[in-house]
Amino acid sequence: MFEIVRYTADKAGEWNRFVAQSKNGTFLFDRNYMDYHADRFHDHSLMFYAEGKLYALLPANDDGKGTLFSHQGLTYGGLVMSVRCKTAKVCQLLKELNDYLSSQGFSRVVYKHIPWIYGSLPCEEDLYAMSSVCHASIASRDVASVIFANQTLPFSSSRKYCVNKGRKQGLQVGESNDWAGYWQILEENLWTHHHAHPVHSLSEMQLLKSRFPDNIRLFTVHKDQQLLGGTVLYTTPLVAKTQYMSANDEGKSLGALDVLFDNILTSFPTKGYAYFDFGTSNLKENDDLNESLIFQKEGFGGRAVCYDTYEWKL
């Protein structure tokens, strides 16, 4: 039923047009985003055609050891589906995908499902197919904190206290292009407290911002012209998502992030977004909950949406 074609660079235009018209694709699947780190991953993305028309995409890479990942370089990376996708055909697609992968020497698939909040229509045909066809199991489950624009919850008392404290200090919030200044705060904070680095370097983030100026935005908070912290927002048609959020020590003591998100969350429902996604709150080395981080996010009214990764043997 399906013709399965491995992605090559000459198909970038066709790939990107499909992502833009799909029911669950976001700009993260645009090749101008995906390929910024092409040197780190061996791409094995696939295109599925039915009756000569592109039906679905799978952003993917392989490890050279028999495992196909969808996709290690992306927050989520499952099957990108057209509005024509229906359950029985997606089941058939996964059967044929498994046959294709077996013929290519693969023995295992690790699959990051696209969270449902990113779909413009119901888009969990792949979840059913993975269960009924692939007998997949959950390899990991991370928990994100999400706010519904049309049904917000009040801030917790601790978050309200910090917002009021920050307002009394005259903190100012706005959109910014000071990527270098914010990245210095982010890098210092991550290294001091976690001995970690941002996933993106400053130059990579500036490159991606230049390619997707309407989707990648920096918001910062200042006191008397001094930068205290900020957050990067990734915006898709339905979702505004925090990609990074960080403050320096003075910013933390003054409630900078509380004032920042109070401002953002007050305005984001009027911008046409259905959901605000604070991102996941799990430790990098395992699925354990980072309780202090999720305490902050849930204090703003966020509640759980799971980011699941599945696995099956071929």
Side-chain angles (χ1 to χ4, degrees), residues 68-89:
L68 184 85
F69 296 88
S70 72
H71 179 298
Q72 285 179 293
L74 299 174
T75 306
Y76 44 82
L79 203 65
V80 181
M81 295 180 280
S82 76
V83 297
R84 298 185 296 126
C85 282
K86 297 180 181 178
T87 303
K89 287 189 73 171

Side-chain angles (χ1 to χ4, degrees), residues 114-132:
I114 302 170
W116 63 267
I117 58 175
Y118 289 92
S120 59
L121 292 170
C123 53
E124 294 190 343
E125 292 84 356
D126 60 336
L127 282 185
Y128 178 80
M130 280 192 294
S131 174
S132 65

Side-chain angles (χ1 to χ4, degrees), residues 21 56 79 111 131 133 146 148 154 192 209 235 248 276-277 307:
Q21 297 169 4
L79 203 65
Y111 183 101
S131 174
V133 174
V146 175
F148 282 24
T192 299
K209 169 65 176 177
T235 62
N248 60 22
F276 190 92
D277 182 359
Y307 279 51

Side-chain angles (χ1 to χ4, degrees), residues 11-26:
K11 297 180 175 65
E14 182 183 16
W15 176 287
N16 290 342
R17 287 190 294 273
F18 184 90
V19 169
Q21 297 169 4
S22 68
K23 66 177 180 177
N24 64 338
T26 70

Side-chain angles (χ1 to χ4, degrees), residues 209-221:
K209 169 65 176 177
S210 70
R211 292 178 177 179
F212 299 95
D214 296 329
N215 300 106
I216 299 175
R217 303 168 67 183
L218 172 63
F219 292 84
T220 55
V221 55

Side-chain angles (χ1 to χ4, degrees), residues 5-293:
V5 177
R6 187 170 175 180
Y7 171 80
T8 51
D10 61 299
K11 297 180 175 65
E14 182 183 16
W15 176 287
N16 290 342
R17 287 190 294 273
F18 184 90
V19 169
Q21 297 169 4
S22 68
K23 66 177 180 177
N24 64 338
T26 70
F27 76 95
L28 273 70
F29 302 129
D30 189 292
R31 300 308 305 201
N32 290 310
Y33 187 95
M34 284 185 62
D35 292 344
Y36 87 90
H37 52 22
D39 59 318
R40 299 184 208 168
F41 302 98
H42 186 236
D43 191 88
H44 203 115
S45 297
L46 299 171
M47 307 171 77
F48 301 86
Y49 294 84
E51 299 176 345
K53 294 183 179 180
L54 191 54
Y55 189 80
L57 304 172
L58 183 62
N61 68 283
D62 69 68
D63 65 354
K65 300 177 182 179
T67 299
L68 184 85
F69 296 88
S70 72
H71 179 298
Q72 285 179 293
L74 299 174
T75 306
Y76 44 82
L79 203 65
V80 181
M81 295 180 280
S82 76
V83 297
R84 298 185 296 126
C85 282
K86 297 180 181 178
T87 303
K89 287 189 73 171
V90 173
C91 288
Q92 181 64 30
L93 186 154
L94 285 196
K95 289 179 183 177
E96 297 187 24
L97 169 64
N98 289 342
D99 290 341
Y100 164 85
L101 293 175
S102 294
S103 73
Q104 297 295 309
F106 290 96
S107 58
R108 174 172 170 259
V109 178
V110 177
Y111 183 101
K112 292 181 182 178
H113 178 65
I114 302 170
W116 63 267
I117 58 175
Y118 289 92
S120 59
L121 292 170
C123 53
E124 294 190 343
E125 292 84 356
D126 60 336
L127 282 185
Y128 178 80
M130 280 192 294
S131 174
S132 65
V133 174
C134 306
H135 308 293
S137 58
I138 295 178
S140 66
R141 169 169 282 168
D142 292 344
V143 61
S145 301
V146 175
I147 293 174
F148 282 24
N150 63 355
Q151 193 172 352
T152 59
L153 297 173
F155 283 14
S156 67
S157 58
S158 59
R159 297 277 69 82
K160 289 178 182 177
Y161 171 81
C162 291
V163 169
N164 291 332
K165 180 172 67 173
R167 284 176 175 169
K168 291 176 181 178
Q169 294 294 323
L171 303 189
Q172 297 177 324
V173 173
E175 190 162 4
S176 173
N177 286 313
D178 186 10
W179 290 88
Y182 174 67
W183 228 249
Q184 181 177 352
I185 289 176
L186 176 65
E187 289 179 329
E188 290 177 354
N189 197 28
L190 285 175
W191 183 251
T192 299
H193 298 283
H194 305 287
H195 288 281
H197 299 283
V199 173
H200 302 88
S201 68
L202 173 59
S203 61
E204 287 172 340
M205 187 54 70
Q206 289 173 323
L207 172 65
L208 292 172
K209 169 65 176 177
S210 70
R211 292 178 177 179
F212 299 95
D214 296 329
N215 300 106
I216 299 175
R217 303 168 67 183
L218 172 63
F219 292 84
T220 55
V221 55
H222 292 77
K223 177 177 172 58
D224 300 328
Q225 307 303 313
Q226 180 184 355
L227 178 61
L228 300 178
T231 189
V232 178
L233 291 188
Y234 274 21
T235 62
T236 60
L238 292 174
V239 183
K241 178 184 182 297
T242 57
Q243 192 68 15
Y244 296 102
M245 56 181 182
S246 193
N248 60 22
D249 288 342
E250 182 181 4
K252 292 174 184 177
S253 68
L254 296 177
L257 292 183
D258 298 278
V259 173
L260 175 69
F261 284 113
D262 181 57
N263 277 264
I264 291 175
L265 293 172
T266 299
S267 65
F268 99 88
T270 67
K271 305 297 184 182
Y273 305 117
Y275 312 106
F276 190 92
D277 182 359
F278 278 104
T280 58
S281 298
N282 297 83
L283 300 176
K284 297 296 183 183
E285 58 270 20
N286 52 43
D287 288 343
D288 288 352
L289 194 63
N290 185 330
E291 294 191 20
S292 62
L293 182 58

